[in-house]
Each structure stands twice: as structure tokens, then as C-alpha cells.
């Protein structure tokens, strides 16, 4: 712990800021020159996906004495039936391409489907209803140096798994560790089980052994992230992505289940830990002036960012959404939220602004279809009236949680980015962004700079605090047949984690297909004024599927008609997928679950609000209603294959 305190103190020192800024400026100049010289152009598009989850205590299911011999077989069968798996291996900065699957690479969207093998190749803040986010207009106008971008973290403070900044103190004694992938799911006969009636699906800490498999560590000790390795954006690549999401989420869930934990595919936890949500999110100690949050991963970068944000906020960070207003001594309330982040690598860097600006216009419509976090943990609402809350809560509280947790400086770091005029703007925006918790490479490495990622280490570190809802990531390891280590990709950050693998693959396909299709067809979507695109995004976060959205049609006409907007959203997503060689049958399979929720007019958030209302009508208080809803949600993810089956 003393080492972490020392690193954080060095990170926040004035002399570090000066040296870091000088290096970022030098590295940015090199990147601009390389982009202008065409060194970041590549052969083909690539795609990847990041998935965030949280852990609860597993529902007790002790084996019957007579069935002891069958315990392992039963556990395996249960995992195969669990269709809401989680997984790991996204675009964490690595662009290694998995090998093409045998037999044409058929992948299944069924969690038990016989999919392609995953052997890698060797060769602006949201305010309560009616208010515009503070500083949003001012910060995004001419007074602002346009914008900047950060590395691969979802709407969270995550770190690339391979980064040395991700190292932290082990959460489990070393002697308790065991092999992650090879180990059996069988538990010892004397494993203690709670009474099933006592199970509440409470938030819980993940032991370190869980991260020996497919899961990576995240901000909170209850958080995990699963990433698919990126693939070329084509028929085979999308099929491998499908299989990766299914298999890797299943492996991560299996590993957690061995330790009385369950990884949940959901956008916000609502059943608090034993000590209560506010106590859990606030617990901390101060050592030599450095705040150390008890339930935050003790990675130097996380701790430094926490202390930087706290310093800007005067030692306490406010969080205000419908039904709750409070203050925290740490940014950890950001860990309430979990998300998925599709990545799309664009091979023609000259065309990158077209893709990026089109993507900004899709933020509102895609978020409105995917909303999944209408409630905070039940104990945070106090005596709030349940009916009032159901009518007034935001459908996507993740947006407010992330923005308010780190937007403590004068220029908010989490917001909708401005349009790009030139590709090299993606470099300049990182340079111009406010400095947060800088590190120098020698703080963590004692070897020479050799590879691309070493050469631009400080620039990439600063990019890691450029938390716009849409970011550009420069660089990565090669994807066979698609890219070199020098590439540019869009990281699409606002989408919440979905209930099933099918839903997440569907949103990934919809996102990358739509962005690709709009540009391929020369669609005028980007002609929608930026302010309208931003307004649509925050409306979607607040009102979900019923949000007031704006769009420009293929004929160049402005429209707010929901049917007209989504007709084109799905049409051009299909066009984009077809443009990349994805067969029509596969397109139907990918987009079907998302189209079905559109046809039903029901999102996961709508489902949650309806369940809480039902419980309130049955006489439950708000806390019991939210807890009951959450348990129903978890059970539904176990019993079904896609959200459309819940409807």
C-alpha cells in the first residue's frame, strides 16, 4: 500500500505534470505526422467488444446427499443452461485476430451453440428532467479547444488489461489461488451454503482467482470486464465475435460460480451489500494525504484519478438524480454502472471524420433502444414515493453516474464530443484536454522504449482520461488481413450492458453496421446539427424509448418521427453489414433481437419499471419492489436466450 501512496503522490506532483505534458506534446507531433503520411491507413475494417459485469452472491443450491456423485455434472449442465453469460477479451488495446473457425466458421447466438473455436492465430452531465447539463453549451462551444479522446475504458475508469497500470493488490491470499480454466466446477463437500430463503442476490466482492480466466479487473472490487479479441469486420469476423461473447462470458461466470459468486449481465446493481450502498461506496481511509477507497481496486491509476477528481471537487463529489441526492468522498459511485463498448476500426484515415461524425448522430437512437438502468440500489431512495419514482426516474442512470463522478473540473471530461473537421484533430483533442493524474513511464517500467505502445506511452495514458461518449483510439496490435499496429478506431461508449449474449451481439452488429452503412451510402445523417444530436442523446438517457429524438433522413429532411428514424436505423445497419459481406440470414439473426424489442416498444428499462410498479400495486414498499424486480431480472436471464423472449 505504501508503494501505491508513493506512486499517487508522484503522479499528482507539479514536476510530473510538467514533464508529462512535454512528452505528450512531442508524441502528439509524431502521431500527427504519421497520420498525415498515411501510416495509419489499413486494409480493412475491424470490430471488437468490451463487456462489463458485476458480482452478486450466488443463489444457494446445495447438492442433495444422494446426488453428491453427480454434483459436477449438474453444475456443468446448469452453466450450459445459463444463457446470460459474461466474457472477456475485447479491444483492450490488442488487435490480435483469432484464427478462422473450421468448417466455414459458423457461430451460434445460442449460448450452447456449436460455434467457432477461439484459438488465436499464431503467425456533458445529465440533469434531472428539463434541465440542460451545466457547462455543456459553454464547454462545447468556441471557448473549448474542441475535444479530446482517451483509451479503451467503457463508461468507466477501466484500464487495458495488459497495461502495467492495471496491477493491484491481490484480493485473495496467494495460497488460495487455483488454475482458472482447467479447474473443475465441483466444490468441496463441506462448502458452506446459506439458507435459500436468506439469498438476496447482494452485491459481493470478486476473489482474485476469478481473474485468472476470462475476466479482467475493473474499478470496483465487485466489477469485472470481459473482452473479445478484435476481428476483421466481415462474415467470419462477426461469427468469431459471436462465439467469443458466448464462450468467454460463460467461462467467466463458471469461474465465479466456483466461489459462491454470480456475474450478472446488467447495467446497474440495485441490491446493496450488507453494510448498505452509501456506506459501501463511501468507505475509505486516508494515508499520507492520499484517499484510498476500501472497495476500489488498489491500482495506482484508479487511486490517482480518484484523488485528482476529489481535489477538483473540494474533497466531496455530489451525485444528484431523480429520487436521490447525496455526496461521496470518492468517485467509487461510478462503479454502480456497467456497459458494453463496440469498437469499429476505420481503415481509411482520411474518411475517419465521416464515420465519427455519423456515429455522433446515432448516439440518441441507439441508446434509446438499449436503456437498462432506471433504478439505483434500493436503500438509496429513503422515503421516496415509489409511484413518483417510476414516473420520473431516468431510464439510463449510468449516464448521470459516470458524468457526475468525474466531471469535477472546470471543463467536463465526460460529454458528447464535437464533430471532427480533420483526422489529426483526434490527436489535438487529447493534447488540449484537461490533465488528470499523469504518470511517467519510468514510474512503472525500467526497460527501454521499443514497441509502438512504448513510444507513445504518455500520450496513450492521457487518452485514457478522455472520457467522451465517443472516442478515437490510435494504435493497437495487428489484425491479420486488416490492420497493422498503427490504426484508428471508434470506441462507442454509452451503451449499457444487456441481459443476454444475443442482445449484446445484436447491439454490436447494429452499431458497427449502422455507422458503416451511413457512410457507405453517403447518407446525410451528419447534417443534423450537433446540438440536436447531443439533445437526442440526453433525451434518450432520460426518457428511453419514448425520447424525443432528431434525425436527418436519406432525403435530407429533418424528422422527429420515431418510425421514420428507426426504419432508417435498421435499414442502414443492414446495408452496412451486407457491405462487409455478412449474409442476409446472419444479419437477421444478429439484428432480430433488437428489432423485436423495437416492435414491442419495450426496453429492459421499461421491463424493470413495469415490474417495480406491479410490486408496488401488490402492496410492497419501494425497497422490496426494487429487490423483487432485480431477482426476477436475474431469473429471467437464466431462463431465456434473449430479451425478446421476456416480452
Amino acid at each position: 500500500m505504501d508503494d501505491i501512496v508513493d506512486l499517487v503522490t508522484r503522479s499528482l506532483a507539479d514536476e510530473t505534470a510538467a514533464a508529462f505534458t512535454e512528452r505528450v506534446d512531442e508524441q502528439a507531433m509524431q502521431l500527427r505526422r504519421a497520420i498525415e503520411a498515411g501510416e495509419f491507413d489499413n486494409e480493412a475494417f475491424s470490430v471488437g467488444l468490451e463487456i462489463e459485469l458485476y458480482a452478486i452472491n450466488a443463489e444457494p443450491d446445495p447438492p442433495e446427499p444422494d446426488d453428491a456423485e453427480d454434483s459436477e455434472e449438474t453444475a456443468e449442465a446448469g452453466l450450459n443452461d445459463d444463457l446470460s453469460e459474461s466474457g472477456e477479451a475485447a479491444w483492450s488495446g490488442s488487435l490480435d485476430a483469432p484464427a478462422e473457425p473450421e468448417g466455414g466458421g459458423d457461430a451460434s447466438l445460442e449460448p450452447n451453440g456449436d460455434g467457432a473455436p477461439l484459438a488465436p492465430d499464431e503467425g456533458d452531465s445529465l440533469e434531472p428532467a428539463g434541465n440542460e447539463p451545466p457547462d455543456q453549451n459553454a464547454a462545447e462551444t468556441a471557448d473549448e479547444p474542441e475535444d479530446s479522446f482517451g483509451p479503451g475504458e467503457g463508461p468507466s475508469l477501466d484500464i487495458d488489461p495488459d497495461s502495467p497500470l492495471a496491477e493491484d493488490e491481490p484480493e485473495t491470499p496467494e495460497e488460495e489461488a487455483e488454475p482458472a480454466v482447467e479447474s473443475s466446477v465441483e466444490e468441496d463437500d463441506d462448502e458452506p451454503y446459506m439458507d435459500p430463503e436468506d439469498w438476496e442476490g447482494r452485491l459481493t466482492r470478486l476473489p482474485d482467482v476469478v481473474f485468472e480466466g476470462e475476466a479482467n479487473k475493473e474499478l470496483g472490487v465487485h466489477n469485472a470486464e470481459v473482452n473479445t479479441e478484435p476481428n476483421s469486420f466481415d462474415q467470419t469476423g462477426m461469427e468469431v465475435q459471436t462465439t467469443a461473447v458466448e464462450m468467454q462470458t460463460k467461462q467467466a461466470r463458471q469461474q465465479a460460480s466456483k466461489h459462491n459468486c454470480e456475474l450478472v449481465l446488467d447495467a446497474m446493481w440495485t441490491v446493496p451489500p450488507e453494510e448498505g450502498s452509501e456506506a459501501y461506496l463511501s468507505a475509505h481511509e486516508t494515508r499520507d494525504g492520499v484517499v484510498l477507497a476500501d472497495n476500489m481496486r488498489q491500482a495506482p491509476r484508479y487511486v490517482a484519478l480518484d484523488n485528482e477528481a476529489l481535489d477538483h471537487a473540494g474533497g466531496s463529489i455530489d451525485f444528484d438524480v431523480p429520487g436521490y441526492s447525496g455526496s461521496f468522498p470518492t468517485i467509487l459511485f461510478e462503479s454502480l454502472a456497467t456497459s458494453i463498448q463496440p469498437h469499429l476500426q476505420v481503415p481509411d484515415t482520411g474518411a475517419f471524420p465521416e464515420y465519427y461524425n455519423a456515429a455522433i448522430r446515432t448516439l440518441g437512437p441507439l441508446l434509446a433502444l438499449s436503456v437498462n438502468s432506471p433504478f439505483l440500489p434500493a436503500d438509496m431512495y429513503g422515503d421516496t414515493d415509489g409511484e413518483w419514482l417510476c414516473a420520473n426516474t431516468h431510464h439510463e442512470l449510468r449516464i448521470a453516474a459516470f458524468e457526475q463522478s468525474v466531471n469535477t473540473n472546470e471543463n467536463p471530461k465526460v460529454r458528447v464530443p464535437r464533430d471532427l473537421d480533420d483526422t489529426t484533430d483526434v490527436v489535438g483533442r487529447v493534447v488540449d484536454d484537461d490533465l488528470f493524474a499523469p504518470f511517467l513511464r519510468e514510474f512503472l517500467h525500467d526497460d527501454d522504449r521499443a514497441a509502438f505502445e512504448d513510444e507513445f506511452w504518455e500520450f496513450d495514458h492521457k487518452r485514457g482520461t478522455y472520457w467522451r461518449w465517443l472516442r478515437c483510439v490510435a494504435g493497437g496490435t495487428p489484425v491479420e488481413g486488416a490492420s497493422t499496429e498503427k490504426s484508428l478506431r471508434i470506441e462507442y461508449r454509452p451503451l449499457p450492458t444487456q441481459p443476454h449474449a444475443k442482445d449484446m451481439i445484436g447491439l454490436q452488429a447494429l452499431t458497427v453496421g449502422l455507422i458503416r452503412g451511413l457512410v457507405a451510402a453517403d447518407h446525410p445523417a451528419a447534417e443534423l446539427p450537433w446540438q440536436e444530436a447531443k439533445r437526442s442523446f440526453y433525451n434518450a438517457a432520460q426518457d428511453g424509448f419514448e425520447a424525443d429524438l432528431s434525425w436527418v433522413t436519406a432525403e435530407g429532411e429533418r424528422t422527429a418521427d420515431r418510425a421514420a428514424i428507426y426504419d432508417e436505423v435498421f435499414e442502414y445497419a443492414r446495408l452496412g453489414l451486407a457491405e462487409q459481406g455478412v449474409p442476409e440470414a446472419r444479419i437477421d439473426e444478429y439484428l432480430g433481437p433488437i428489432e423485436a424489442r423495437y416492435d414491442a416498444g419495450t426496453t429492459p428499462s421499461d421491463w424493470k419499471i413495469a415490474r417495480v410498479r406491479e410490486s408496488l400495486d401488490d402492496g410492497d414498499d419501494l425497497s422490496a419492489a426494487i429487490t423483487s424486480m432485480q431477482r426476477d431480472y436475474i431469473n429471467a436471464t437464466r431462463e431465456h436466450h434473449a430479451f425478446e423472449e421476456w416480452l
Side-chain angles (χ1 to χ4, degrees):
M1 194 66 71
D2 290 339
D3 290 343
I4 293 175
V5 170
D6 178 62
L7 276 171
V8 171
T9 302
R10 294 170 70 188
S11 168
L12 303 181
D14 291 342
E15 55 267 28
T16 297
F20 182 88
T21 299
E22 183 177 351
R23 293 183 193 182
V24 168
D25 290 344
E26 293 174 355
Q27 293 163 17
M29 187 178 300
Q30 296 178 54
L31 284 172
R32 287 192 188 96
R33 290 171 179 168
I35 292 171
E36 291 171 344
E39 295 178 20
F40 279 72
D41 289 338
N42 282 285
E43 299 176 36
F45 291 87
S46 296
V47 291
L49 185 66
E50 299 178 57
I51 303 164
E52 296 172 353
L53 312 91
Y54 64 80
I56 60 171
N57 58 296
E59 185 170 12
D61 187 18
E64 296 295 330
D66 293 341
D67 297 333
E69 294 181 1
D70 298 326
S71 60
E72 180 173 353
E73 180 180 348
T74 302
E76 290 285 5
L79 287 168
N80 287 336
D81 289 339
D82 185 348
L83 305 175
S84 66
E85 311 92 326
S86 65
E88 197 252 273
W91 213 323
S92 59
S94 168
L95 296 178
D96 289 326
E100 291 192 5
E102 297 178 8
D106 260 351
S108 170
L109 285 173
E110 299 297 324
N112 297 331
D114 295 327
L118 290 180
D121 267 339
E122 303 204 351
D124 313 26
S125 82
L126 187 60
E127 291 296 312
N131 292 332
E132 184 73 7
D135 297 328
Q136 212 52 316
N137 292 332
E140 295 287 6
T141 54
D143 295 336
E144 185 203 10
E146 289 189 272
D147 274 337
S148 358
F149 291 67
E153 298 106 50
S156 85
L157 306 176
D158 55 346
I159 320 173
D160 290 349
D162 296 331
S163 167
L165 293 177
E167 297 172 4
D168 58 5
E169 298 282 327
E171 301 295 340
T172 305
E174 192 170 313
E175 58 271 21
E176 292 183 23
E178 55 186 276
V181 178
E182 293 78 14
S183 56
S184 162
V185 296
E186 183 178 12
E187 296 289 347
D188 294 335
D189 290 340
D190 61 350
E191 180 65 39
Y193 286 92
M194 69 184 79
D195 187 320
E197 293 183 359
D198 293 335
W199 178 80
E200 295 187 31
R202 289 188 179 277
L203 189 75
T204 193
R205 172 188 293 253
L206 282 165
D208 255 20
V209 67
V210 172
F211 300 102
E212 294 178 8
E214 295 294 347
N216 294 317
K217 295 177 181 179
E218 249 286 355
L219 179 67
V221 296
H222 54 274
N223 292 133
E225 181 175 279
V226 167
N227 305 312
T228 64
E229 292 290 344
N231 303 102
S232 56
F233 183 15
D234 52 26
Q235 176 183 358
T236 300
M238 286 301 297
E239 289 175 346
V240 175
Q241 286 287 306
T242 297
T243 308
V245 171
E246 293 171 352
M247 292 179 64
Q248 293 173 199
T249 54
K250 177 174 291 185
Q251 195 280 342
R253 288 177 64 95
Q254 176 177 337
Q255 190 68 4
S257 72
K258 296 167 51 189
H259 299 276
N260 286 337
C261 299
E262 179 171 356
L263 286 170
V264 181
L265 287 170
D266 193 8
M268 183 168 285
W269 51 272
T270 60
V271 182
E274 290 286 351
E275 63 267 42
S277 299
E278 289 183 314
Y280 179 87
L281 295 170
S282 300
H284 70 283
E285 64 173 304
T286 302
R287 185 174 300 186
D288 295 334
V290 173
V291 173
L292 297 160
D294 291 357
N295 297 303
M296 182 185 292
R297 297 281 176 198
Q298 296 303 303
R301 177 175 180 266
Y302 289 153
V303 178
L305 291 171
D306 192 12
N307 281 266
E308 182 86 81
L310 283 168
D311 183 63
H312 285 288
S316 182
I317 303 175
D318 295 335
F319 182 38
D320 187 10
V321 294
Y324 178 79
S325 182
S327 186
F328 293 90
T330 167
I331 64 171
L332 189 62
F333 69 87
E334 189 272 335
S335 71
L336 285 163
T338 49
S339 66
I340 61 172
Q341 301 105 48
H343 290 243
L344 175 63
Q345 178 191 290
V346 178
D348 178 4
T349 56
F352 190 88
E354 292 181 68
Y355 286 93
Y356 190 80
N357 296 344
I360 292 174
R361 275 69 189 175
T362 69
L363 292 172
L366 295 192
L367 181 62
L369 275 178
S370 61
V371 287
N372 191 23
S373 59
F375 296 109
L376 297 176
D379 62 339
M380 294 178 73
Y381 286 117
D383 59 358
T384 299
D385 179 74
E387 289 295 340
W388 179 90
L389 183 65
C390 287
N392 290 278
T393 189
H394 296 160
H395 281 256
E396 197 52 39
L397 292 172
R398 288 172 44 262
I399 304 301
F402 187 44
E403 291 195 349
Q404 294 182 36
S405 65
V406 293
N407 279 352
T408 60
N409 53 320
E410 184 176 350
N411 300 307
K413 295 178 73 67
V414 188
R415 60 181 185 266
V416 175
R418 282 284 187 174
D419 289 336
L420 287 176
D421 294 322
D422 185 82
T423 305
T424 57
D425 290 347
V426 302
V427 178
R429 291 181 176 185
V430 173
V431 173
D432 294 337
D433 200 38
D434 287 358
L435 185 61
F436 250 53
F439 276 79
L440 302 177
R441 187 176 182 274
E442 58 267 28
F443 290 180
L444 299 160
H445 299 275
D446 57 7
D447 59 331
D448 294 332
R449 298 180 188 243
F452 174 87
E453 60 268 23
D454 299 325
E455 185 178 1
F456 298 99
W457 196 94
E458 281 81 6
F459 179 88
D460 195 59
H461 181 80
K462 188 174 184 185
R463 180 177 56 85
T465 66
Y466 180 81
W467 293 306
R468 304 310 191 265
W469 290 115
L470 201 68
R471 300 196 300 195
C472 170
V473 182
T477 40
V479 174
E480 184 176 355
S483 72
T484 68
E485 64 182 3
K486 295 181 179 179
S487 60
L488 296 180
R489 67 182 187 268
I490 294 171
E491 183 190 17
Y492 202 96
R493 296 168 53 82
L495 302 180
T497 299
Q498 300 294 295
H500 297 279
K502 269 191 173 182
D503 302 311
M504 294 186 296
I505 286 292
L507 275 179
Q508 179 190 30
L510 180 63
T511 302
V512 297
L514 178 58
I515 297 170
R516 176 72 178 110
L518 291 174
V519 177
D522 197 24
H523 190 286
E527 294 179 7
L528 181 73
W530 176 85
Q531 286 285 355
E532 283 298 299
K534 186 186 78 167
R535 186 187 64 83
S536 290
F537 172 71
Y538 286 106
N539 284 351
Q542 180 171 303
D543 299 324
F545 187 72
E546 298 298 323
D548 178 15
L549 305 174
S550 296
W551 187 256
V552 169
T553 68
E555 290 74 31
E557 299 176 353
R558 291 271 295 275
T559 184
D561 180 74
R562 184 180 296 108
I565 293 171
Y566 283 107
D567 281 350
E568 292 204 349
V569 164
F570 289 115
E571 175 187 352
Y572 285 91
R574 287 177 170 273
L575 186 152
L577 291 166
E579 185 78 14
Q580 294 306 117
V582 180
E584 184 176 356
R586 279 290 186 226
I587 295 174
D588 290 341
E589 190 174 358
Y590 295 144
L591 298 186
I594 311 302
E595 290 174 322
R597 70 171 65 170
Y598 168 74
D599 292 338
T602 302
T603 63
S605 177
D606 293 320
W607 183 93
K608 289 179 175 179
I609 292 172
R611 289 300 177 278
V612 170
R613 280 193 167 119
E614 289 175 7
S615 292
L616 293 171
D617 290 343
D618 289 341
D620 289 340
D621 62 24
L622 179 60
S623 179
I626 292 176
T627 300
S628 176
M629 173 278 296
Q630 189 66 67
R631 296 180 75 170
D632 287 347
Y633 178 99
I634 293 168
N635 288 332
T637 64
R638 296 166 176 163
E639 296 169 1
H640 299 290
H641 296 70
F643 176 70
E644 64 177 305
E645 298 176 11
W646 303 18
L647 305 178

